[in-house]
Amino acid sequence: MTPVPDKWTVIKTYTSKKNTVRKVECDGKYYVVKKYHDDFITGLQVEEKVLEECGKNQVGVPEIIEKLEDSLILEDISGTNCKELFDSQETGAVLSGIAEWLCDFHSSFGHKKRRGDCILANFILSDTEIYGIDFEESQEGNYLRDIGDMCTSILRMRPAFTFKRFRQIDYFLDEYFACSSKPRIDITDYLVESLLHYSNYGSQKEELKRWAVRLKEVGLDNIIQSLRSE
């Protein structure tokens, strides 16, 4: 049964400049209602198409329950946000799970589409399965930009840019390329691009810019090799 707005109870609300997301309860069931703001309404069509294609290819995403004029009503994925799980005993499962999810996603779109906004906060661990959420920024483009974004997301977790963080992205990269059956390549350029992009937001602007310069000079693989020799 599709939840009816005047019958549902709002449990929690998340607001951003692009959309308003509400977890609602209706007739004992939970749903996520994602309403797209007028200036970003094209994100609805983008997200709808990605969710449908992922569903066909059994890539873990919420099911679309109903499409409204300016909203998508989605399955509520019970679980824990991967950002909240980081640096817990689940870190290994999170990294390998996201690597496998991204591998499946990229394969489903012939390695011609990037999921966009590929950060830890946009993945949920439910039991032992990883689910991706928030696809309004998905677009045609180089899939390796997703890998750069995920590495940035890992590196900037506090405490940021430590040896531990670089070891974690080394593990993530190994897992991703092993799953994709492609030889591992140096992603320094994609990581630098991502660091500079995210330096426009939040409180780590100068730190991200400094590391973008350092990585461009030294190279990610050289940093990782030095860590492996310790």
Side-chain angles (χ1 to χ4, degrees):
M1 179 183 295
T2 301
V4 180
D6 59 5
K7 290 186 178 181
W8 69 41
T9 301
V10 176
I11 306 299
K12 195 169 186 179
T13 300
Y14 309 88
T15 304
S16 73
K17 67 177 182 179
K18 294 184 178 181
N19 49 64
T20 298
V21 181
R22 295 184 176 93
K23 180 177 181 177
V24 305
E25 182 271 332
C26 184
D27 295 327
K29 294 184 178 181
Y30 293 99
Y31 304 89
V32 171
V33 181
K34 189 168 185 177
K35 181 177 181 180
Y36 300 78
H37 300 169
D38 290 345
D39 291 344
F40 301 98
I41 195 65
T42 54
L44 187 154
Q45 286 78 32
V46 171
E47 185 146 16
E48 179 188 21
K49 290 179 180 178
V50 171
L51 290 172
E52 288 177 343
E53 190 65 25
C54 284
K56 291 176 185 176
N57 289 285
Q58 297 184 317
V59 179
V61 295
E63 178 186 355
I64 299 175
I65 306 300
E66 185 77 15
K67 177 185 176 183
L68 306 179
E69 183 178 359
D70 60 357
S71 307
L72 290 176
I73 300 176
L74 305 171
E75 170 192 13
D76 175 49
I77 303 296
S78 61
T80 306
N81 187 281
C82 287
K83 184 177 180 179
E84 297 174 15
L85 284 171
F86 215 68
D87 282 340
S88 72
Q89 61 182 4
E90 302 290 347
T91 301
V94 166
L95 291 173
S96 59
I98 291 176
E100 183 176 355
W101 188 98
L102 282 170
C103 180
D104 291 342
F105 179 90
H106 293 148
S107 295
S108 295
F109 292 94
H111 294 87
K112 296 179 180 179
K113 183 184 285 289
R114 51 189 296 255
R115 70 140 289 160
D117 204 15
C118 189
I119 58 177
L120 289 165
N122 282 339
F123 292 91
I124 293 171
L125 179 64
S126 179
D127 293 327
T128 60
E129 298 295 322
I130 291 287
Y131 288 81
I133 58 173
D134 292 343
F135 296 97
E136 64 263 27
E137 294 187 19
S138 184
Q139 58 185 283
E140 300 296 314
N142 193 322
Y143 69 99
L144 290 171
R145 291 179 65 187
D146 282 338
I147 306 305
D149 282 355
M150 180 51 60
C151 288
T152 292
S153 185
I154 294 167
L155 286 171
R156 67 189 300 191
M157 289 290 290
R158 296 296 189 190
F161 297 97
T162 60
F163 286 172
K164 179 179 180 179
R165 295 290 176 246
F166 280 98
R167 289 191 178 98
Q168 286 169 335
I169 66 170
D170 184 28
Y171 175 75
F172 165 74
L173 291 169
D174 273 347
E175 292 290 297
Y176 176 82
F177 285 104
C179 176
S180 68
S181 299
K182 293 177 179 292
R184 177 167 163 173
I185 62 172
D186 184 3
I187 65 148
T188 296
D189 289 345
Y190 303 101
L191 177 54
V192 168
E193 179 185 8
S194 178
L195 288 167
L196 292 174
H197 169 74
Y198 284 104
S199 72
N200 294 309
Y201 312 97
S203 61
Q204 295 171 280
K205 295 179 181 180
E206 294 307 316
E207 189 175 20
L208 296 180
K209 289 177 182 177
R210 285 197 304 271
W211 273 99
V213 171
R214 182 176 178 185
L215 279 159
K216 191 170 184 63
E217 291 175 347
V218 178
L220 176 62
D221 280 4
N222 287 330
I223 291 177
I224 287 175
Q225 287 300 325
S226 68
L227 291 175
R228 287 177 174 176
S229 63
E230 291 184 359

